[in-house]
Amino acid sequence: MGIIFLSDDIMQTPPIDLACENICKHFAQFTAVNDVSFTIPKGSFFSILGPSGCGKTTLLRMLAGFESPSTGDIKIKQTSVLNVPPNKRPVNMVFQHLALFPTMDVAQNVGYGLRRQGVAKAEIAERVAAVLQRVGLPDSGKKQVSQLSGGQRQRIALARCLVLNPTLLLLDEPLGALDLKLREQMKIELKQLQKEFGTTFVYITHDQSEALVMSDQIAVMNHGKFEQVGTPHELYYEPKTAFVASFVGDSNRWSGRVTQQTGETLQVTTKDGLTLQGVAQGGTFDDASEVDIFVRPEAIHVSRLVPQIRLDNQLECTVNNILFDGAKSQIIAIEEKSGGRIMVAMPQTADFKDLKITDTLYLTFSTEQALCFSHSQELDDVDH
Amino acid sequence: MSTISRSRSPIKLGMWLLLAPLCLWLLLLIILPHLELLTYSLSAPDEGGFTFEFYGEFFGESLYWRTFLRTAVMSILATILTLLIGFPVAFFIAKMIKGRSKGILFAMCLIPFWVSELVRTFGWMILLRESGVISTALQWLGFIDSGVELLYTDATIMLGLVYSAMLFMVVPLVSTLDSLDDSYIEAGYDLGGNNWNILREIVIPHAMPGIVSGCIIVFMLSLGNYLTPVLLGGKDSLWFTEQIYTQFITRFNWEQGSAFGILLLILSSLIVWLGLKVTGQSFTKTMG
């Protein structure tokens, strides 16, 4: 079955629901969105991931119709919506603080959009009941918004939009206000609901874990531009820019200079003295040019004995600190010779149970695991 | 238990000290005078003892109860007009403009109230009388041949009442509308609403406490107003406070005046209570 569905998907690519063409938005002092183009196929979960102030909210508000782009075009189902006001667009939005109307009960909230469309009363009641059933809150129609828990409010806010069968559903960091446990649970629920309803979701967030878990496609945005658009897998394993490598997932990052290069492989000496080998990304480098090297903590093989296999990067370190966080525990290690710092994921095996500070560790990773990008001053600024 | 109550007692003392001016004010200026008014209105002046005579006089003499009704109806009308004019002004100040100009506009609503009510009312008289600014201007422009008297009509009284009460409507409205997050209005548009039904279903229900408290204040001020109806309405203004004034000062009939005073208090309480019942608001909610 799965195979048949898969081949179907490949055979007929789904139609494009949203196409943005060269969108720019200039405010008096600065450019919030700078020449962004992308398309979203029907039924997919598309996330825009970026730090605060990167322009993602402005972009979303342009899709909803609350702002209009300075230049460029927004097409929903091949038709430009630039001249369509927000209340006429086939687009609905879940607001950051949900904006459930406190003066109405749940059923009135969910039915608000249907009443605006002039749907008959009996049909409104029926459709509201149906959508409340689908989001798993069948008996909450008569409740006041203030009586609902955080997670229930999320679902009501979704139901209020989904009952209108929008072409696009925009979500403006709706999970931001929830506590961690509930957020983890809502991530799964949101993804599940998106699959069930088959609605195209455009989700903006600054939380990379939300984006990675839920999305089919993620656009990483910085300074008003898309740095990279791709599947979560692509962004994580094949970042195209230094910003993506540092923003998506955890990474060790070292700044250093190229000391030697053979083809794609660079040998780099970092500022704190480590000598590493990595793969050049995004162009070629001159000797002595400044680069940033990124290595994922979990890509580093850790052992307490001298390893049998030799890899390109081999470091002998002592444990400087252990950051215990259950399955996500990490070790901060210092290389004896150079004093360079490196962060590695702690293997969850019996060998490491009694690991303590000042123990010796052997860290190894291949050249392919170390990605070299040309040096970015911005990342330095974030760190300090 | 004992430790809790012991630790609370100094707080209680402090609270009473803070409340003392308010309690004294209420007792000395509101409760005692009204009790005195009530005794006056119910006692026969010559032989002493209890009588309903002065209340009977009110219902017997048509001028009295007609003036009474007229005052009530005109005050309600003034309240409605103030709300209709004040709401867009408040909405504009609270929602349409941002930053500095907001404060400036708000101050502009306040500035007329730096001048005493008497001076403000005389200002209207200078504008509206037969030889006044508007009449002269109309003559000069050739719209009318001879001077026109714009004073001493019900419309003039209404103008004065609305003008002098506007601030007391705008202030509570601005504060409730300010507390309405823009995202509610945006959500309304996003879900397909237009200006009218967002106003009706989202903005007005949210602003209801402000609307009701503004209306209560404006209604009370209009009902108890003396200067504006007398100066702008002239001899024919027939405002109930005028009747009270006449009884106390001209006729020196304190008993009758007291009875009128009590009746006015009952009337205003009754209408405010009705207003709260009709709009489904509670007094504590609108004042909180």
Side-chain angles (χ1 to χ4, degrees):
Chain A
M1 278 298 276
I3 295 163
I4 295 166
F5 272 118
L6 194 67
S7 62
D8 261 11
D9 278 354
I10 293 164
M11 293 297 277
Q12 37 184 311
T13 43
I16 299 300
D17 261 354
L18 174 74
C20 289
E21 294 167 3
N22 307 100
I23 293 186
C24 293
K25 178 71 184 178
H26 309 290
F27 290 107
Q29 293 298 318
F30 73 111
T31 301
V33 177
N34 189 1
D35 197 21
V36 165
S37 301
F38 61 100
T39 58
I40 302 178
K42 186 177 170 56
S44 62
F45 197 123
F46 188 91
S47 291
I48 299 169
L49 173 67
S52 56
C54 73
K56 57 192 193 301
T57 301
T58 310
L59 181 58
L60 198 76
R61 288 175 63 80
M62 285 194 279
L63 299 182
F66 296 125
E67 310 268 359
S68 49
S70 308
T71 56
D73 199 0
I74 298 170
K75 287 179 175 167
I76 294 175
K77 295 201 164 172
Q78 275 84 52
T79 336
S80 172
V81 292
L82 283 190
N83 297 314
V84 182
N87 53 356
K88 299 278 191 308
R89 287 194 189 187
V91 167
N92 289 117
M93 181 154 160
V94 176
F95 287 78
Q96 189 165 17
H97 300 291
L98 306 180
L100 292 172
F101 306 128
T103 51
M104 302 180 196
D105 66 21
V106 167
Q108 284 170 324
N109 259 292
V110 177
Y112 180 87
L114 293 173
R115 291 201 296 282
R116 300 289 77 82
Q117 293 177 357
V119 178
K121 260 197 173 154
E123 196 191 333
I124 292 179
E126 208 173 287
R127 283 172 69 178
V128 167
V131 82
L132 288 179
Q133 177 85 44
R134 288 184 77 175
V135 297
L137 294 166
D139 301 319
S140 60
K142 283 278 159 278
K143 281 190 189 159
Q144 290 300 311
V145 173
S146 54
Q147 289 172 279
L148 303 175
S149 69
Q152 289 172 327
R153 282 182 210 192
Q154 297 279 337
R155 286 189 260 169
I156 296 303
L158 272 179
R160 186 173 73 171
C161 293
L162 290 172
V163 75
L164 300 172
N165 297 319
T167 306
L168 277 185
L169 184 69
L170 312 177
L171 300 102
D172 183 3
E173 303 198 38
L175 305 187
L178 300 180
D179 58 63
L180 189 69
K181 262 266 159 62
L182 193 55
R183 197 154 63 213
E184 295 299 317
Q185 186 192 331
M186 281 309 295
K187 273 186 218 168
I188 301 162
E189 259 183 51
L190 256 180
K191 177 73 188 159
Q192 193 62 36
L193 282 168
Q194 190 265 337
K195 256 189 186 165
E196 281 173 23
F197 280 84
T199 309
T200 311
F201 276 33
V202 181
Y203 187 95
I204 69 171
T205 181
H206 62 266
D207 182 321
Q208 42 111 358
S209 141
E210 283 175 22
L212 291 174
V213 170
M214 293 189 285
S215 315
D216 298 318
Q217 288 266 307
I218 301 174
V220 179
M221 196 172 182
N222 192 30
H223 294 313
K225 280 180 176 276
F226 278 2
E227 294 260 339
Q228 187 178 353
V229 182
T231 62
H233 193 274
E234 282 166 2
L235 291 181
Y236 195 83
Y237 291 108
E238 300 153 40
K240 291 254 160 52
T241 67
F243 179 81
V244 176
S246 71
F247 197 74
V248 179
D250 290 329
S251 275
N252 285 291
R253 181 174 74 89
W254 294 278
S255 299
R257 273 179 200 285
V258 178
T259 46
Q260 201 184 322
Q261 55 179 321
T262 40
E264 289 277 272
T265 307
L266 306 180
Q267 193 181 61
V268 178
T269 306
T270 68
K271 278 182 184 158
D272 48 13
L274 299 171
T275 303
L276 302 171
Q277 283 194 40
V279 190
Q281 300 284 313
T284 52
F285 295 94
D286 300 329
D287 275 356
S289 60
E290 283 198 57
V291 291
D292 288 328
I293 307 183
F294 293 87
V295 182
R296 301 257 180 233
E298 69 276 15
I300 299 169
H301 181 260
V302 192
S303 111
R304 302 187 71 169
L305 306 168
V306 182
Q308 301 303 311
I309 351 147
R310 280 202 65 85
L311 288 169
D312 306 321
N313 293 296
Q314 191 114 7
L315 303 168
E316 189 182 330
C317 300
T318 50
V319 177
N320 178 254
N321 209 342
I322 298 167
L323 308 175
F324 184 78
D325 186 15
K328 286 182 287 186
S329 301
Q330 298 196 307
I331 306 165
I332 296 174
I334 304 271
E335 196 201 21
E336 294 284 326
K337 274 186 288 178
S338 63
R341 271 164 61 95
I342 183 162
M343 184 124 94
V344 290
M346 179 140 104
Q348 300 294 312
T349 52
D351 285 353
F352 293 89
K353 243 184 177 169
D354 59 345
L355 188 75
K356 51 188 192 303
I357 293 170
T358 71
D359 281 0
T360 303
L361 282 181
Y362 298 91
L363 309 180
T364 49
F365 53 96
S366 69
T367 307
E368 289 74 40
Q369 308 278 15
L371 307 176
C372 303
F373 296 95
S374 78
H375 179 65
S376 149
Q377 189 58 46
E378 185 197 347
L379 294 175
D380 279 351
D381 296 343
V382 171
D383 279 356
H384 303 301
Chain B
M1 276 302 277
S2 64
T3 51
I4 292 169
S5 57
R6 212 182 305 143
S7 69
R8 260 166 72 181
S9 60
I11 300 169
K12 262 196 171 163
L13 181 69
M15 191 183 75
W16 280 114
L17 279 174
L18 284 171
L19 278 177
L22 179 70
C23 292
L24 282 176
W25 181 70
L26 277 174
L27 184 74
L28 296 177
L29 293 172
I30 312 278
I31 298 171
L32 282 182
H34 272 92
L35 286 176
E36 192 71 7
L37 276 185
L38 192 66
T39 6
Y40 262 119
S41 71
L42 289 171
S43 51
D46 301 327
E47 60 270 25
F50 181 81
T51 177
F52 267 125
E53 182 197 333
F54 299 107
Y55 291 92
E57 178 74 12
F58 169 81
F59 290 104
E61 180 64 64
S62 69
L63 176 73
Y64 292 154
W65 62 260
R66 276 171 194 257
T67 309
F68 189 72
L69 280 186
R70 178 185 140 82
T71 307
V73 171
M74 290 273 283
S75 296
I76 291 173
L77 205 63
T79 308
I80 294 169
L81 276 175
T82 314
L83 176 63
L84 290 181
I85 299 167
F87 195 88
V89 173
F91 191 83
F92 187 77
I93 293 175
K95 288 280 144 228
M96 313 286 268
I97 47 175
K98 303 262 178 281
R100 257 175 70 94
S101 40
K102 194 171 189 162
I104 292 169
L105 261 185
F106 204 50
M108 276 168 67
C109 288
L110 194 82
I111 283 168
F113 290 80
W114 291 0
V115 178
S116 95
E117 194 189 357
L118 187 69
V119 177
R120 260 182 291 139
T121 315
F122 276 129
W124 278 113
M125 293 178 78
I126 291 168
L127 286 177
L128 296 174
R129 66 190 166 144
E130 200 173 351
S131 55
V133 176
I134 292 175
S135 175
T136 317
L138 287 175
Q139 281 180 76
W140 186 75
L141 287 168
F143 287 114
I144 46 172
D145 298 327
S146 58
V148 57
E149 180 63 88
L150 296 167
L151 281 175
Y152 314 129
T153 66
D154 284 358
T156 323
I157 298 180
M158 198 54 80
L159 179 79
L161 288 176
V162 170
Y163 172 72
S164 59
M166 188 56 76
L167 181 74
F168 301 96
M169 184 63 88
V170 169
V171 170
L173 282 180
V174 166
S175 68
T176 47
L177 288 174
D178 244 346
S179 71
L180 176 68
D181 198 281
D182 284 347
S183 68
Y184 291 117
I185 298 174
E186 282 179 353
Y189 283 116
D190 186 67
L191 294 164
N194 57 28
N195 293 344
W196 167 241
N197 55 48
I198 286 171
L199 182 70
R200 207 174 46 118
E201 292 205 27
I202 298 166
V203 179
I204 291 180
H206 177 89
M208 211 55 194
I211 292 174
V212 172
S213 70
C215 283
I216 289 176
I217 299 168
V218 171
F219 175 73
M220 301 271 203
L221 283 176
S222 300
L223 199 69
N225 203 327
Y226 177 74
L227 266 176
T228 307
V230 169
L231 291 181
L232 296 182
K235 270 183 284 182
D236 302 329
S237 66
L238 292 175
W239 210 255
F240 198 67
T241 46
E242 243 182 298
Q243 299 285 353
I244 299 177
Y245 181 85
T246 311
Q247 294 300 336
F248 272 102
I249 307 297
T250 317
R251 301 253 185 103
F252 222 68
N253 187 349
W254 280 44
E255 290 77 11
Q256 190 64 59
S258 301
F260 285 179
I262 294 294
L263 282 165
L264 194 63
L265 176 68
I266 294 171
L267 175 74
S268 59
S269 312
L270 200 71
I271 293 181
V272 167
W273 178 78
L274 267 176
L276 288 172
K277 275 276 156 282
V278 168
T279 53
Q281 299 286 315
S282 75
F283 196 70
T284 44
K285 202 166 127 197
T286 54
M287 293 299 146

